């Protein structure tokens, strides 16, 4: 078979690429190829509402099945692309099917990084990346009292919050000296450490995992480098993802930590684009550094950028990054990228559980972390977009609205 546009990956980026193409009156044929059997669904709820069994799967689907049928988007689910021939414009799937394309959009995201220690493959050791992952966890909850979460990033902490609320005894092991170390400033890290401990979660910092212990093929605990063994019936590994780009790299695409794309999402291979978690791009909000952004916002906005390029109205990607995380009754909203900041200004009192942290670099606002502070998040977005300057004392004054702060 041959299709005008083949989209590899049925996550947020792939779904948005198909949606944006049809919105922009693209009349050619579109096919989506996805490893999982499901139609496109939202990923963020997996570690939150879906794990908590507060939302059924139907409520996290990006669009119902009828939507794709009505827009003539062919869904080739349960298949994995294993090779790409950029000269012949053909992809081959793991069942041997070859599919020709006019243009290819690579939107595969990433695969969970596996922990490289003895016992990593025991039953009861889980990652949180797909519906199937979480379904396996839910099936084991009835026989689980103790959970060890390896990794203190957003996924690990969100899962810890849900499982703690479900009455499980949860231990979080973070190898660094604070949680969220790669994505947030120290003040936010300490706040979340305190919140989790207040909810009964045992947060261990500087924790080195030696091996995952087990009996008869099933996990029984996690052994630390100091000799301690933390008993557990379930282990969740949340130590990041690896971009799923092997077929593109084997075909000669440029890149490294992801596949390199230009400002319109084009890779170095002819008629092949990439979007989302797997796309390595120069980002203006990171000072022009080549980065990968693992967020729904980035996947959706890059997909829209690619759709514009394919439909003949190219527009460079320059979307402000934003993220969110729900833990307990805390809503964290982040705008901008705080990496490289040289000053962090606290607005409000963390003890009130409603506050913001404004990050500056060379006197200009580059990012905000807002905890239960939606107004700061909404108003701070403009400061990040314009890289505004402002009096630090006024920034720190929570009685001063951020919309009143602006500068050249």
């Amino acid at each position: 078979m041959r299709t005008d546009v083949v989209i590899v990956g049925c996550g947020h980026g792939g779904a948005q690429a198909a949606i944006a193409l049809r919105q922009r009156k693209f009349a050619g044929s579109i096919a989506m190829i996805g490893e999982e059997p499901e139609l496109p669904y939202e990923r963020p709820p997996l570690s939150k509402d879906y794990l908590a069994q507060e939302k059924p799967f139907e409520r996290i689907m990006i669009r119902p099945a009828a939507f794709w049928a009505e827009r003539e988007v062919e869904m080739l689910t349960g298949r994995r692309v294993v090779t790409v021939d950029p000269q012949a414009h053909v992809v081959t799937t793991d069942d041997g099917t070859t599919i020709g394309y006019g243009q290819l959009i690579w939107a595969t995201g990433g695969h969970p990084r596996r922990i490289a220690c003895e016992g990593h493959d025991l039953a009861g050791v889980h990652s949180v990346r797909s519906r199937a992952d979480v379904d396996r966890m839910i099936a084991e909850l009835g026989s689980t009292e103790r959970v060890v979460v390896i990794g203190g990033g957003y996924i690990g902490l969100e899962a810890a919050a849900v499982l703690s609320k479900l009455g499980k005894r949860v231990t979080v092991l973070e190898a660094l000296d604070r949680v969220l170390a790669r994505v947030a400033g120290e003040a936010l890290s300490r706040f979340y450490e305190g919140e989790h401990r207040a909810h009964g979660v045992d947060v261990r910092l500087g924790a080195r995992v030696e091996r995952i212990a087990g009996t008869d093929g099933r996990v029984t605990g996690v052994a630390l480098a100091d000799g301690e063994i933390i008993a557990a019936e379930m282990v969740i590994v949340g130590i990041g993802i690896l971009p799923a780009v092997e077929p593109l790299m084997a075909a000669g695409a440029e890149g490294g930590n992801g596949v390199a794309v230009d400002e319109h999402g084009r890779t170095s291979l002819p008629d092949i684009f990439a979007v989302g978690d797997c796309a390595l791009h120069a980002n203006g909000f990171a000072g022009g550094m080549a980065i990968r952004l693992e967020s729904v916002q980035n996947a959706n906005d890059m997909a829209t950028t690619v759709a514009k390029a394919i439909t003949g109205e190219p527009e460079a990607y320059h979307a402000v990054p934003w993220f969110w995380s729900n833990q307990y009754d805390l809503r964290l909203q982040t705008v901008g990228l705080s990496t490289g900041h040289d000053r962090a200004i606290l607005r409000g009192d963390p003890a009130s559980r409603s506050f913001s942290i404004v990050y500056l670099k060379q006197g200009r606002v580059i990012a905000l972390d807002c905890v239960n502070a939606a107004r700061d998040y909404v108003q701070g977005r403009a400061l990040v977009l314009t890289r505004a300057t402002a009096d630090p004392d006024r920034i720190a004054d929570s009685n001063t609205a951020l919309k009143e702060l602006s500068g050249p």
Side-chain angles (χ1 to χ4, degrees):
M1 63 178 287
R2 186 188 183 283
T3 304
D4 293 320
V5 173
V6 168
I7 300 170
V8 182
C10 288
H12 289 275
Q16 178 60 27
I19 291 169
L21 284 169
R22 290 301 188 223
Q23 287 175 336
R24 300 184 66 79
K25 311 303 181 187
F26 179 77
S29 53
I30 301 174
M32 294 181 67
I33 307 173
E35 286 190 34
E36 297 176 62
E38 293 88 2
L39 295 176
Y41 62 91
E42 299 175 26
R43 306 289 164 154
L46 291 176
S47 56
K48 309 179 189 73
D49 315 63
Y50 188 71
L51 175 59
Q53 300 172 68
E54 295 171 353
K55 274 188 180 179
F57 181 73
E58 291 69 27
R59 287 186 58 200
I60 69 171
M61 293 182 71
I62 292 176
R63 295 289 191 277
F67 175 91
W68 306 109
E70 290 166 1
R71 284 152 185 81
E72 297 183 340
V73 176
E74 185 173 5
M75 289 291 179
L76 305 175
T77 56
R79 309 186 198 192
R80 180 170 55 90
V81 171
V82 292
T83 62
V84 177
D85 184 335
Q87 280 69 46
H89 282 50
V90 168
V91 300
T92 304
T93 62
D94 53 355
D95 63 359
T97 302
T98 58
I99 303 166
Y101 63 85
Q103 302 194 73
L104 181 69
I105 302 175
W106 197 263
T108 51
H111 299 303
R113 187 185 296 273
R114 305 295 181 185
I115 190 165
C117 69
E118 179 187 339
H120 68 90
D121 54 351
L122 289 167
V125 178
H126 301 276
S127 55
V128 183
R129 189 65 180 173
S130 69
R131 178 196 185 183
D133 292 335
V134 180
D135 283 349
R136 283 190 290 269
M137 292 169 58
I138 291 171
E140 295 178 13
L141 287 179
S143 57
T144 296
E145 294 183 8
R146 298 163 296 187
V147 181
V148 171
V149 177
I150 301 174
Y154 286 125
I155 294 292
L157 293 183
E158 289 167 359
V162 168
L163 294 168
S164 174
K165 287 169 65 177
L166 292 176
K168 310 303 179 185
R169 290 166 51 192
V170 182
T171 301
V172 172
L173 303 177
E174 171 53 56
L176 300 178
D177 61 358
R178 60 187 177 91
V179 301
L180 303 176
R182 296 178 180 85
V183 294
E186 184 170 357
L188 194 73
S189 297
R190 301 309 178 202
F191 171 77
Y192 273 97
E193 290 162 11
E195 283 291 327
H196 279 275
R197 287 170 174 149
H199 283 85
V201 175
D202 183 4
V203 179
R204 310 274 192 101
L205 305 174
R208 299 290 175 177
V209 174
E210 185 73 21
R211 62 186 174 88
I212 300 175
T215 301
D216 298 327
R218 174 160 285 279
V219 66
T220 57
V222 176
L224 302 181
D226 63 6
E228 180 183 3
I229 297 180
I230 304 172
E233 294 79 39
M234 179 182 290
V235 172
I236 299 171
V237 179
I239 55 174
I241 67 167
L242 296 173
V245 294
E246 296 89 345
L248 285 188
M249 305 310 288
E254 294 178 3
N257 176 28
V259 59
V261 299
D262 69 10
E263 61 188 1
H264 300 291
R266 290 187 178 88
T267 72
S268 61
L269 300 176
D271 298 316
I272 299 180
F273 299 80
V275 304
D277 293 4
C278 67
L280 183 68
H281 65 283
N283 192 289
F285 294 94
M289 288 177 50
I291 62 171
R292 287 190 305 105
L293 273 181
E294 297 172 11
S295 76
V296 173
Q297 166 270 323
N298 177 61
N300 286 345
D301 288 339
M302 289 191 83
T304 299
T305 295
V306 167
K308 289 177 179 177
I310 288 176
T311 54
E313 296 182 49
E315 183 180 325
Y317 176 78
H318 188 67
V320 60
W322 55 266
F323 315 83
W324 79 93
S325 178
N326 293 336
Q327 299 171 45
Y328 307 110
D329 57 344
L330 301 169
R331 170 77 164 174
L332 169 64
Q333 295 171 286
T334 296
V335 60
L337 299 172
S338 62
T339 307
H341 72 274
D342 52 35
R343 186 168 185 180
I345 299 174
L346 178 65
R347 279 174 60 85
D349 181 6
S352 72
R353 306 177 84 247
S354 175
F355 66 96
S356 298
I357 301 169
V358 181
Y359 298 94
L360 305 182
K361 184 174 183 180
Q362 298 177 351
R364 296 186 177 274
V365 177
I366 60 169
L368 290 88
D369 285 323
C370 306
V371 177
N372 290 346
R375 181 179 297 176
D376 276 3
Y377 169 74
V378 171
Q379 296 182 4
R381 183 184 183 91
L383 301 182
V384 174
L385 273 168
T386 60
R387 291 181 61 86
T389 59
D391 179 352
D393 290 336
R394 295 192 73 202
I395 293 175
D397 180 6
S398 57
N399 293 317
T400 300
L402 287 178
K403 66 181 179 182
E404 297 176 16
L405 307 179
S406 61

